[in-house]
């Protein structure tokens, strides 16, 4: 189990106090007690807490290849099949991790990559050239992924408490959220994140955020 979070603001990230992203990482420490990492540019922040299993040193995240950077929580059951297929296409691997296989799959097949994955996953990949964020969740919905938008910015996280650590996101519960809490709990309406204007990526779905536009 790992934890991921991040924000993308095409107009530039809001100024953050010292230790801000460390605090968000701390909210996910139970999901990934072994390692943590931050990828930060003028408009994008990607955060990762890792439970290290495969290739602990070289499989660190966020992982960057060219303009692409990934944060990933999950396990691919067809890692070796994908690796061999990519090798036949001339891809040279630097690690034994499924993270690199997943990232190279996206670089090779683009938005069609999730359809080639057999596993449980939630991930986000930032394209620095296009200033775009692609994200996806496994068909069974085993790995969680929540998101919201505020003033042209996109935020995501494995857990609600991590998402609510961004000061732009108010923990407001409306009548729909109360219904889920009081009548459905511990279940929830599919795709709904309890708090107002916070959503969960529907299992088997993916999306792209670019130029302040979100397409699921």
């Amino acid at each position: 189990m790992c934890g991921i979070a991040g924000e993308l603001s095409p107009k530039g990230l809001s100024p953050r106090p010292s230790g801000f992203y460390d605090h968000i990482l701390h909210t996910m420490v139970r999901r990934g007690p072994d390692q943590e990492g931050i990828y930060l540019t003028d408009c994008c922040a990607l955060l990762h807490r890792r439970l290290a299993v495969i290739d602990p040193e070289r499989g660190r995240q966020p992982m960057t290849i060219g303009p692409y950077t990934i944060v990933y929580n999950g396990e691919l059951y067809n890692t070796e099949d994908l690796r061999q297929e990519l090798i036949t296409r001339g891809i040279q691997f630097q690690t034994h991790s499924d993270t690199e296989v997943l990232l190279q799959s996206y670089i090779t097949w683009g938005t069609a990559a999730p359809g080639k994955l057999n596993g449980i996953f939630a991930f986000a990949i930032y394209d620095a050239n296009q200033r775009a964020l692609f994200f996806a969740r496994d068909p069974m919905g085993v790995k969680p992924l929540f998101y919201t938008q505020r003033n042209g910015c996109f935020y995501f996280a494995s857990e609600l408490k991590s998402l609510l650590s961004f000061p732009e996101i108010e923990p407001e519960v409306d009548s729909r959220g109360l219904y889920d809490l009081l009548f459905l709990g511990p279940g929830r309406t599919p795709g709904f994140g309890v708090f107002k204007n916070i959503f969960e990526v529907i299992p088997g779905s993916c999306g792209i955020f670019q130029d302040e536009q979100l397409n699921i």
Side-chain angles (χ1 to χ4, degrees):
M1 182 168 65
C2 298
I4 65 175
E7 59 176 332
L8 175 60
S9 176
K11 296 179 181 178
L13 297 179
S14 300
R16 301 300 190 190
S18 176
F20 173 78
Y21 294 117
D22 292 328
H23 167 70
I24 296 179
L25 284 169
H26 183 72
T27 66
M28 303 187 293
V29 67
R30 72 178 186 88
R31 303 188 66 87
D34 299 327
Q35 297 170 354
E36 65 180 35
I38 300 174
Y39 169 87
L40 186 62
T41 71
D42 63 323
C43 66
C44 180
L46 300 178
L47 315 177
H48 189 266
R49 289 286 327 195
R50 186 184 183 204
L51 175 64
V53 178
I54 301 174
D55 205 346
E57 288 305 314
R58 294 183 297 174
R60 289 177 177 270
Q61 297 184 49
M63 178 181 289
T64 299
I65 299 176
Y68 303 98
T69 301
I70 186 173
V71 284
Y72 158 59
N73 169 31
E75 180 181 2
L76 297 184
Y77 306 136
N78 62 334
T79 296
E80 292 309 313
D81 291 338
L82 288 172
R83 190 193 306 274
Q84 292 306 313
E85 184 174 354
L86 289 164
I87 288 174
T88 63
R89 290 172 172 261
I91 303 299
Q92 296 182 353
F93 287 90
Q94 305 302 315
T95 78
H96 296 292
S97 69
D98 58 349
T99 304
E100 185 181 10
V101 171
L102 174 51
L103 184 51
Q104 290 285 13
S105 295
Y106 180 77
I107 294 171
T108 302
W109 294 299
T111 58
K116 299 183 72 69
L117 308 179
N118 176 12
I120 51 178
F121 53 83
F123 66 86
I125 297 175
Y126 177 61
D127 180 344
N129 287 343
Q130 300 297 320
R131 297 168 76 93
L133 187 79
F134 176 83
F135 57 92
R137 190 179 181 204
D138 67 86
M140 293 298 293
V142 175
K143 298 300 182 180
L145 188 60
F146 297 91
Y147 69 93
T148 189
Q149 298 180 81
R150 295 290 191 280
N151 299 319
C153 303
F154 182 79
Y155 307 85
F156 70 92
S158 294
E159 298 191 3
L160 286 169
K161 64 181 178 182
S162 304
L163 202 58
L164 294 172
S165 295
F166 290 95
E168 295 84 0
I169 304 171
E170 295 291 333
E172 181 180 355
V173 178
D174 57 12
S175 58
R176 183 181 177 187
L178 287 174
Y179 178 86
D180 269 33
L181 288 171
L182 298 177
F183 294 98
L184 292 183
R188 283 184 290 104
T189 303
F192 185 53
V194 178
F195 294 95
K196 185 177 181 179
N197 295 323
I198 292 179
F199 306 96
E200 187 171 22
V201 178
I202 295 290
S205 297
C206 60
I208 297 178
F209 181 79
Q210 184 179 24
D211 298 328
E212 302 186 14
Q213 298 296 317
L214 176 64
N215 294 298
I216 301 294

